[in-house]
Protein backbone atom coordinates (compact mmCIF):
# COMPACT_ATOMS: atom_id res chain seq x y z
CA UNK A 1 0.00 0.00 0.00
CA UNK A 2 1.51 3.31 -1.11
CA UNK A 3 -1.32 5.82 -0.53
CA UNK A 4 -4.93 5.44 0.52
CA UNK A 5 -7.99 7.54 1.30
CA UNK A 6 -11.66 6.93 2.01
CA UNK A 7 -13.97 7.02 -0.99
CA UNK A 8 -17.69 6.55 -1.50
CA UNK A 9 -19.36 4.88 -4.47
CA UNK A 10 -22.95 5.67 -5.43
CA UNK A 11 -24.67 3.76 -8.22
CA UNK A 12 -27.65 5.09 -10.12
CA UNK A 13 -29.46 3.97 -13.24
CA UNK A 14 -27.06 5.66 -15.65
CA UNK A 15 -23.96 6.54 -13.65
CA UNK A 16 -21.65 5.20 -11.00
CA UNK A 17 -20.00 7.97 -8.95
CA UNK A 18 -16.78 7.65 -6.97
CA UNK A 19 -16.32 10.49 -4.48
CA UNK A 20 -13.03 11.15 -2.71
CA UNK A 21 -13.64 13.66 0.07
CA UNK A 22 -10.05 14.30 1.09
CA UNK A 23 -6.90 13.48 -0.84
CA UNK A 24 -4.07 11.76 1.06
CA UNK A 25 -0.44 12.84 1.17
CA UNK A 26 1.09 11.16 -1.87
CA UNK A 27 4.60 9.78 -1.61
CA UNK A 28 4.35 8.69 -5.24
CA UNK A 29 1.62 10.64 -7.04
CA UNK A 30 1.96 8.71 -10.32
CA UNK A 31 1.16 5.38 -8.64
CA UNK A 32 -1.90 6.88 -6.92
CA UNK A 33 -3.35 8.61 -9.99
CA UNK A 34 -2.64 5.67 -12.33
CA UNK A 35 -4.18 3.29 -9.78
CA UNK A 36 -7.23 5.53 -9.44
CA UNK A 37 -7.69 5.68 -13.22
CA UNK A 38 -7.39 1.89 -13.46
CA UNK A 39 -9.85 1.36 -10.60
CA UNK A 40 -12.39 3.68 -12.25
CA UNK A 41 -12.11 1.80 -15.55
CA UNK A 42 -12.41 -1.65 -13.97
CA UNK A 43 -15.25 -0.68 -11.60
CA UNK A 44 -17.27 1.11 -14.30
CA UNK A 45 -17.08 4.52 -12.62
CA UNK A 46 -18.60 7.18 -14.90
CA UNK A 47 -18.30 10.20 -12.57
CA UNK A 48 -15.20 10.87 -10.48
CA UNK A 49 -15.50 13.62 -7.87
CA UNK A 50 -12.27 14.58 -6.11
CA UNK A 51 -12.28 17.00 -3.19
CA UNK A 52 -9.45 18.28 -1.04
CA UNK A 53 -11.28 19.01 2.23
CA UNK A 54 -8.74 18.80 5.03
CA UNK A 55 -5.94 17.72 2.68
CA UNK A 56 -2.50 19.01 3.62
CA UNK A 57 -1.39 19.05 -0.01
CA UNK A 58 -3.87 18.78 -2.85
CA UNK A 59 -2.42 18.77 -6.32
CA UNK A 60 -4.92 17.27 -8.71
CA UNK A 61 -3.46 16.73 -12.18
CA UNK A 62 -5.42 17.48 -15.34
CA UNK A 63 -7.47 14.35 -15.93
CA UNK A 64 -8.76 13.15 -19.27
CA UNK A 65 -12.51 13.68 -19.70
CA UNK A 66 -12.49 16.35 -16.95
CA UNK A 67 -15.66 18.45 -17.15
CA UNK A 68 -15.51 20.77 -14.13
CA UNK A 69 -12.90 22.13 -11.74
CA UNK A 70 -13.82 24.52 -8.93
CA UNK A 71 -11.29 26.50 -6.93
CA UNK A 72 -12.04 26.86 -3.22
CA UNK A 73 -10.51 28.21 -0.03
CA UNK A 74 -10.25 26.44 3.30
CA UNK A 75 -10.04 28.16 6.66
CA UNK A 76 -8.51 26.60 9.74
CA UNK A 77 -9.68 27.67 13.19
CA UNK A 78 -7.46 27.00 16.19
CA UNK A 79 -9.76 25.64 18.89
CA UNK A 80 -7.06 25.68 21.56
CA UNK A 81 -6.43 29.42 22.15
CA UNK A 82 -6.00 30.73 25.67
CA UNK A 83 -9.53 32.16 25.77
CA UNK A 84 -11.77 30.75 23.05
CA UNK A 85 -14.79 32.78 24.28
CA UNK A 86 -12.95 36.10 23.77
CA UNK A 87 -11.91 35.06 20.27
CA UNK A 88 -15.43 34.02 19.29
CA UNK A 89 -17.09 36.56 17.01
CA UNK A 90 -19.74 38.75 18.61
CA UNK A 91 -22.53 37.32 16.45
CA UNK A 92 -21.57 33.76 17.36
CA UNK A 93 -21.44 34.63 21.08
CA UNK A 94 -24.92 36.15 20.75
CA UNK A 95 -26.27 32.95 19.15
CA UNK A 96 -24.59 30.73 21.76
CA UNK A 97 -26.11 32.79 24.57
CA UNK A 98 -29.55 32.67 22.91
CA UNK A 99 -29.27 28.88 22.72
CA UNK A 100 -28.30 28.63 26.38
CA UNK A 101 -31.25 30.84 27.40
CA UNK A 102 -33.57 28.63 25.33
CA UNK A 103 -32.37 25.60 27.31
CA UNK A 104 -30.16 24.04 24.63
CA UNK A 105 -27.30 21.77 25.59
CA UNK A 106 -24.75 20.06 23.37
CA UNK A 107 -24.37 16.29 23.31
CA UNK A 108 -21.32 14.69 21.74
CA UNK A 109 -21.51 11.02 20.73
CA UNK A 110 -19.86 8.32 18.64
CA UNK A 111 -22.84 6.00 19.08
CA UNK A 112 -23.99 4.74 15.68
CA UNK A 113 -27.60 4.86 16.96
CA UNK A 114 -27.36 8.67 16.90
CA UNK A 115 -27.04 8.43 13.09
CA UNK A 116 -30.79 7.93 12.75
CA UNK A 117 -31.51 11.25 14.49
CA UNK A 118 -28.72 12.89 12.51
CA UNK A 119 -30.26 11.69 9.22
CA UNK A 120 -33.71 12.82 10.44
CA UNK A 121 -32.31 16.32 11.05
CA UNK A 122 -30.68 16.32 7.59
CA UNK A 123 -33.99 15.18 6.09
CA UNK A 124 -35.86 18.04 7.80
CA UNK A 125 -33.34 20.55 6.43
CA UNK A 126 -33.53 19.03 2.93
CA UNK A 127 -37.33 19.17 3.01
CA UNK A 128 -37.28 22.89 3.88
CA UNK A 129 -34.81 23.56 1.06
CA UNK A 130 -36.86 21.48 -1.39
CA UNK A 131 -40.04 23.42 -0.48
CA UNK A 132 -38.14 26.61 -1.44
CA UNK A 133 -37.48 25.13 -4.87
CA UNK A 134 -33.85 24.12 -4.30
CA UNK A 135 -32.37 20.93 -5.71
CA UNK A 136 -31.52 18.67 -2.76
CA UNK A 137 -29.88 15.36 -2.00
CA UNK A 138 -32.50 12.60 -2.10
CA UNK A 139 -30.52 9.65 -0.70
CA UNK A 140 -29.21 10.62 2.73
CA UNK A 141 -25.96 8.85 3.74
CA UNK A 142 -27.08 6.77 6.75
CA UNK A 143 -24.74 3.83 6.12
CA UNK A 144 -21.76 6.06 5.30
CA UNK A 145 -22.35 8.05 8.51
CA UNK A 146 -22.58 4.84 10.56
CA UNK A 147 -19.35 3.58 8.98
CA UNK A 148 -17.52 6.79 9.95
CA UNK A 149 -18.69 6.46 13.56
CA UNK A 150 -18.09 2.70 13.80
CA UNK A 151 -14.49 3.13 12.65
CA UNK A 152 -13.71 6.07 14.94
CA UNK A 153 -13.43 8.55 12.08
CA UNK A 154 -16.44 10.64 13.06
CA UNK A 155 -18.37 12.11 15.93
CA UNK A 156 -21.88 13.58 16.13
CA UNK A 157 -22.58 16.82 17.98
CA UNK A 158 -26.26 17.44 18.75
CA UNK A 159 -28.07 20.46 20.17
CA UNK A 160 -30.62 19.06 22.63
CA UNK A 161 -33.60 20.57 24.43
CA UNK A 162 -35.45 18.50 27.03
CA UNK A 163 -34.07 15.26 25.55
CA UNK A 164 -35.10 16.10 21.98
CA UNK A 165 -32.57 16.59 19.19
CA UNK A 166 -32.95 20.06 17.66
CA UNK A 167 -29.85 20.07 15.43
CA UNK A 168 -27.11 17.60 14.55
CA UNK A 169 -23.66 17.84 12.93
CA UNK A 170 -21.34 15.02 11.88
CA UNK A 171 -17.67 15.91 12.24
CA UNK A 172 -15.09 13.71 10.50
CA UNK A 173 -11.86 13.60 12.52
CA UNK A 174 -8.22 12.88 11.80
CA UNK A 175 -5.03 13.17 13.83
CA UNK A 176 -4.33 16.73 12.72
CA UNK A 177 -7.78 18.18 12.12
CA UNK A 178 -11.48 17.72 11.57
CA UNK A 179 -14.07 18.40 8.86
CA UNK A 180 -17.71 19.46 9.20
CA UNK A 181 -19.20 16.71 7.03
CA UNK A 182 -22.98 17.14 7.30
CA UNK A 183 -25.66 18.73 9.44
CA UNK A 184 -29.37 19.29 9.81
CA UNK A 185 -31.92 21.03 12.02
CA UNK A 186 -35.57 20.56 12.83
Amino acid sequence: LVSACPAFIRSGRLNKTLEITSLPLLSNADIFWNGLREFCRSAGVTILEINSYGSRVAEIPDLEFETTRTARAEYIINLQPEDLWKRTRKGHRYNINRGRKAGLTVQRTSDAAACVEHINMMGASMQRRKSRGESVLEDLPLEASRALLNHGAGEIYQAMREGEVMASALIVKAAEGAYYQSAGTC
Side-chain angles (χ1 to χ4, degrees), residues 94-138:
Y94 173 77
N95 288 333
I96 292 167
N97 285 327
R98 273 184 61 201
R100 286 178 175 161
K101 287 176 186 173
L104 293 178
T105 59
V106 176
Q107 167 182 286
R108 175 178 147 188
T109 183
S110 295
D111 184 3
C115 279
V116 173
E117 280 299 325
H118 178 70
I119 295 299
N120 288 342
M121 293 296 106
M122 286 180 65
S125 291
M126 294 295 163
Q127 200 57 39
R128 283 192 306 278
R129 292 174 61 190
K130 189 174 185 177
S131 70
R132 292 191 301 253
E134 294 180 42
S135 176
V136 299
L137 188 64
E138 295 290 333

Side-chain angles (χ1 to χ4, degrees), residues 6-170:
F8 300 95
I9 293 181
R10 292 184 307 273
S11 295
R13 289 185 182 181
L14 298 177
N15 291 305
K16 183 184 274 190
T17 301
L18 174 68
E19 177 187 355
I20 297 174
T21 306
S22 183
L23 284 173
L25 285 174
L26 301 174
S27 58
N28 188 327
D30 289 339
I31 291 175
F32 179 83
W33 293 110
N34 290 336
L36 181 61
R37 285 181 182 99
E38 180 54 38
F39 175 80
C40 289
R41 274 191 288 278
S42 66
V45 171
T46 55
I47 298 172
L48 175 60
E49 182 179 324
I50 303 169
N51 295 296
S52 57
Y53 303 116
S55 299
R56 295 174 95 192
V57 177
E59 293 181 29
I60 302 171
D62 291 333
L63 300 170
E64 60 274 4
F65 309 113
E66 186 173 318
T67 58
T68 306
R69 185 175 290 239
T70 305
R72 65 175 194 83
E74 186 168 310
Y75 301 94
I76 299 171
I77 301 169
N78 179 8
L79 295 179
Q80 303 300 322
E82 290 180 23
D83 189 351
L84 182 58
W85 188 249
K86 280 184 183 175
R87 295 192 60 191
T88 302
R89 290 182 53 210
K90 185 178 179 181
H92 290 149
R93 283 196 311 262
Y94 173 77
N95 288 333
I96 292 167
N97 285 327
R98 273 184 61 201
R100 286 178 175 161
K101 287 176 186 173
L104 293 178
T105 59
V106 176
Q107 167 182 286
R108 175 178 147 188
T109 183
S110 295
D111 184 3
C115 279
V116 173
E117 280 299 325
H118 178 70
I119 295 299
N120 288 342
M121 293 296 106
M122 286 180 65
S125 291
M126 294 295 163
Q127 200 57 39
R128 283 192 306 278
R129 292 174 61 190
K130 189 174 185 177
S131 70
R132 292 191 301 253
E134 294 180 42
S135 176
V136 299
L137 188 64
E138 295 290 333
D139 295 324
L140 299 178
L142 177 61
E143 293 309 315
S145 299
R146 279 190 179 144
L148 290 167
L149 294 180
N150 287 337
H151 291 86
E155 207 166 30
I156 291 179
Y157 290 77
Q158 295 176 321
M160 310 284 292
R161 184 171 60 205
E162 298 175 4
E164 184 181 352
V165 178
M166 307 304 289
S168 183
L170 174 59

